[in-house]
Amino acid sequence: MKINPRKTVLALVLGLSLELALGAGHAEVIGHMTAGEPVTEARLAAVPAAERAAWREYLARSQALMAADKAALAAERAAGTPPETAGAHLKGEDGMPLKKPAAWYATAEARHVADNIVSFQTPAGGWGKNVNRSGPARQRGEHYAPVDDDPSGGIISGAKGWSYVGTIDNDATITELKFLARVQAALPGAQADQYRATFAKGVNYLLAAQYPNGGFPQVFPLQGGYHDAITFNDNAIAQVVELLDDVAARKDDYAFVPSDLAGRALAAKERAVKMILATQIVVDGVRTGWCQQHDALTLAPVGARNFEPVAISSGETARLLAVLMKQPSSPPIVSAIDAGAAWLKKVAVYDVEYTRKTDAKDDGGRRLVARPGAGPLWSRLYDVKTMKPVFGDRDKSIHTDVNELSVERRNGYGWYGNGPAATLAAYDKWAAKKRATS
């Protein structure tokens, strides 16, 4: 049989690319996920003495706000309005478009959405997630949040529990605030007063939710479990920082913001940026990226849901770099950006493709396959020690081969993507400008 050297070399290269993308020479389960710890009074004993008072004050504030939220709902229901159904669950859209022409935000349609947002704001000032805000306004006695996590990975009615009652997860609270800002900017005078008041209460909610070290939990008032971790996952904190920047600048839709609130937003943003710098993961003396979650007290990377182990996350790292590139330059910020960009370039993979559901064969699950010329592509998660891709499943197992995950997790989570490419392109421009002005 005649052997084609070029085809042989190509096959070897593609095999190596696929091997690198999968994370190991052979597939294996390398461990099991352990979720992060909640913030509790007992854990504060490990906090430096000088910082404990601020943390105790924070815990007391969280507990008081949750008690007030629950008491308000209970009082409404005791008054004879006991509906226990929540608002419409998200069905593809959140009902809060942010890119319509400015005039649209003065229409009855937009004001209906804004009224829904006002009605669902919790007494603490936040919003639940996964609600289509174009639906009906909240009734008295109706739950503030629509969904509750189920251990199986599904959802159950929020009336059966108290979950995500005020959260920055899934773009919640941030999108509501941005929409209110757009609506009030389109309305004259007093017509916008209630929206401005709701907006101010929402910003104060974010300020109250910020940890003493500058971080933000996924849910506030604190819900416990991994929800108490500093949450970069799905760009939650990145969006908070971007909003605080807008509020502090008092421009365009945010020109109405009072100066004192703008000043507090700026201070909160600066604390958050310092926290971002402090949580960048250092391996063998080299800065890399960020985990999806970091412990609220120790800042160490921690796991979250069963399929989200401790690992460096490419997508969240890319978004945090984008946030840092918008900040005033300082040696620590420049160093963090340069290192994070170098890490993203180092872990990019080529010559592989993560198939779409419609392309999947055999068991119907998406798969990582060899594809000459494809890339760059990034795994969602990279092992902190080996810098190779890792993947979690519902049973808490951690794998080195995405193709070994259950079909549900392969199809239901974004294990590979090309999102960081846009950030790296922006970084190249940022770095060139920095060199030109240095």
Side-chain angles (χ1 to χ4, degrees):
M1 182 178 69
K2 186 176 181 180
I3 297 176
N4 187 322
R6 293 184 62 186
K7 289 185 178 181
T8 301
V9 171
L10 179 59
L12 289 173
V13 170
L14 291 178
L16 178 59
S17 297
L18 186 58
E19 179 180 308
L20 291 173
L22 291 173
H26 60 281
E28 60 180 328
V29 175
I30 59 173
H32 288 79
M33 224 288 297
T34 301
E37 296 183 69
V39 176
T40 62
E41 177 68 33
R43 291 193 66 209
L44 296 187
V47 172
E51 300 173 11
R52 285 179 204 154
W55 280 98
R56 289 195 174 107
E57 179 183 343
Y58 182 94
L59 272 179
R61 177 167 69 249
S62 171
Q63 292 161 0
L65 288 173
M66 179 177 283
D69 282 350
K70 290 183 175 181
L73 182 60
E76 288 183 356
R77 291 179 174 178
T81 51
E84 295 189 357
T85 57
H89 187 266
L90 179 64
K91 296 294 183 182
E93 298 290 341
D94 61 17
M96 297 178 284
L98 297 175
K99 296 182 179 180
K100 294 277 191 179
W104 181 84
Y105 294 92
T107 65
E109 183 180 359
R111 294 191 66 171
H112 171 78
V113 174
D115 290 340
N116 176 292
I117 292 172
V118 171
S119 72
F120 273 97
Q121 186 176 37
T122 69
W127 284 270
K129 66 176 183 174
N130 296 348
V131 174
N132 189 324
R133 298 297 177 194
S134 65
R138 177 179 174 270
Q139 305 174 58
R140 285 181 59 82
E142 188 175 356
H143 207 295
Y144 303 116
V147 298
D148 203 347
D149 272 354
D150 184 278
S152 68
I155 55 173
I156 57 177
S157 168
K160 297 180 180 179
W162 192 266
S163 188
Y164 295 103
V165 183
T167 182
I168 57 174
D169 190 37
N170 288 12
D171 307 328
T173 297
I174 302 304
T175 308
E176 280 82 355
L177 289 172
K178 288 181 177 180
F179 192 90
L180 289 174
R182 297 235 67 192
V183 170
Q184 70 77 33
L187 296 175
Q191 292 187 49
D193 284 351
Q194 67 170 332
Y195 305 131
R196 291 170 179 162
T198 301
F199 179 93
K201 184 176 180 179
V203 173
N204 278 303
Y205 162 83
L206 291 176
L207 300 180
Q210 187 174 36
Y211 283 136
N213 58 17
F216 288 86
Q218 184 191 64
V219 179
F220 183 80
L222 295 180
Q223 184 176 319
Y226 70 83
H227 306 286
D228 291 3
I230 292 172
T231 303
F232 297 127
N233 194 22
D234 292 336
N235 305 315
I237 288 179
Q239 293 188 86
V240 172
V241 172
E242 290 167 345
L243 179 72
L244 292 176
D245 252 338
D246 288 337
V247 172
R250 301 177 70 197
K251 294 180 180 179
D252 301 323
D253 292 345
Y254 305 91
F256 74 97
V257 173
S259 59
D260 63 328
L261 183 59
R264 290 192 293 124
L266 177 61
K269 185 269 293 189
E270 291 175 343
R271 289 194 297 273
V273 169
K274 290 181 180 178
M275 177 276 303
I276 291 171
L277 297 178
T279 49
Q280 190 172 22
I281 298 170
V282 179
V283 180
D284 295 331
V286 178
R287 289 184 175 274
T288 59
W290 287 264
C291 186
Q292 292 174 313
Q293 297 81 209
H294 289 250
D295 186 85
L297 299 177
T298 69
L299 304 185
V302 294
R305 290 177 290 184
N306 288 2
F307 49 89
E308 294 172 325
V310 172
I312 306 176
S313 176
S314 61
E316 281 72 14
T317 292
R319 185 63 175 272
L320 289 172
L321 293 179
V323 168
L324 292 177
M325 283 189 281
K326 296 177 183 177
Q327 305 306 312
S329 290
S330 68
I333 287 178
V334 171
S335 176
I337 295 170
D338 286 340
W343 179 79
L344 283 174
K345 292 178 180 179
K346 180 180 179 180
V347 299
V349 295
Y350 296 83
D351 299 318
V352 292
E353 175 188 27
Y354 197 46
T355 61
R356 296 170 296 178
K357 293 179 185 179
T358 54
D359 295 336
K361 298 179 180 180
D362 302 325
D363 59 10
R366 303 180 69 181
R367 303 189 72 82
L368 190 70
V369 299
R371 182 186 168 194
L377 202 63
W378 283 266
S379 173
R380 178 71 178 266
L381 302 176
Y382 291 84
D383 183 77
V384 175
K385 293 182 180 179
T386 66
M387 295 298 163
K388 294 180 179 179
V390 288
F391 314 92
D393 216 330
R394 288 285 185 191
D395 63 359
K396 298 186 179 183
S397 58
I398 305 170
H399 299 249
T400 60
D401 184 350
V402 68
N403 294 337
E404 289 200 342
L405 296 182
S406 64
V407 173
E408 183 273 333
R409 274 302 78 195
R410 270 184 279 144
N411 289 347
Y413 201 66
W415 292 113
Y416 279 93
N418 60 4
T423 295
L424 288 178
Y427 166 77
D428 289 340
K429 294 180 180 179
W430 175 88
K433 182 178 180 180
K434 179 166 63 73
R435 287 193 300 268
T437 57
S438 61

